[in-house]
Amino acid sequence: PMAAREFIGSFRLYQDRDVAIMLDCYGPDGVTPLVLQSADDVEARLWLVDGGAAALVVTESSTPSVIVVDDHGTPNTTPARITVKFAADDTDDLTADAEYDFELSVKDDSDSNKHKVICRGTAIVEGSPST
């Protein structure tokens, strides 16, 4: 799994294909394990134009793409582990050969549900053959 820090680099998504990415989440220093509370809501967003609407928003309750919190983490020991499951029914609407900005964030239940960035990266979308 990729270690999530401020910027996780790039990963690939494929049009009309299921793709899952797993992220271990750390605090801003890149070392301290990030711990999530059960009431926190994790979200992933993909967008092409800063300030514009997200092309895709994935949450713990969205469908068909969904976020799974595999591990909430243990203070000073184990980072939270998140899997973002991108579904073919959502990836088919993304533009091939485009680089989307990616953000994983948490709506912090203990802080008035403020959005806090866990990490950012670049999602490179590749086309797929017909099925």
Side-chain angles (χ1 to χ4, degrees):
M2 292 186 282
R5 292 189 173 82
E6 193 69 25
F7 185 74
I8 61 169
S10 63
F11 59 92
R12 297 193 183 283
L13 295 177
Y14 307 96
Q15 276 186 322
D16 202 30
R17 299 292 186 266
D18 292 337
V19 180
I21 62 164
M22 183 181 288
L23 299 163
D24 285 339
C25 304
Y26 293 88
D29 62 5
V31 177
T32 305
L34 180 71
V35 176
L36 298 171
Q37 304 305 313
S38 58
D40 292 338
D41 289 321
V42 181
E43 296 184 353
R45 295 175 185 271
L46 295 177
W47 72 97
L48 284 172
V49 179
D50 289 345
L56 180 59
V57 178
V58 184
T59 68
E60 292 176 68
S61 59
S62 61
T63 181
S65 295
V66 68
I67 287 180
V68 177
V69 178
D70 302 303
D71 190 330
H72 282 89
T74 305
N76 303 312
T77 307
T78 309
R81 178 170 284 173
I82 307 295
T83 300
V84 184
K85 295 181 176 182
F86 293 98
D89 284 350
D90 287 332
T91 60
D92 66 352
D93 294 331
L94 299 175
T95 303
D97 303 318
E99 291 188 5
Y100 286 79
D101 288 306
F102 166 82
E103 178 180 86
L104 186 69
S105 65
V106 60
K107 287 167 64 176
D108 188 345
D109 179 67
S110 66
D111 192 7
S112 304
N113 283 326
K114 289 182 183 170
H115 271 274
K116 296 182 178 179
V117 175
I118 296 173
C119 63
R120 284 193 162 183
T122 303
I124 300 168
V125 178
E126 294 187 5
S128 296
S130 63
T131 53

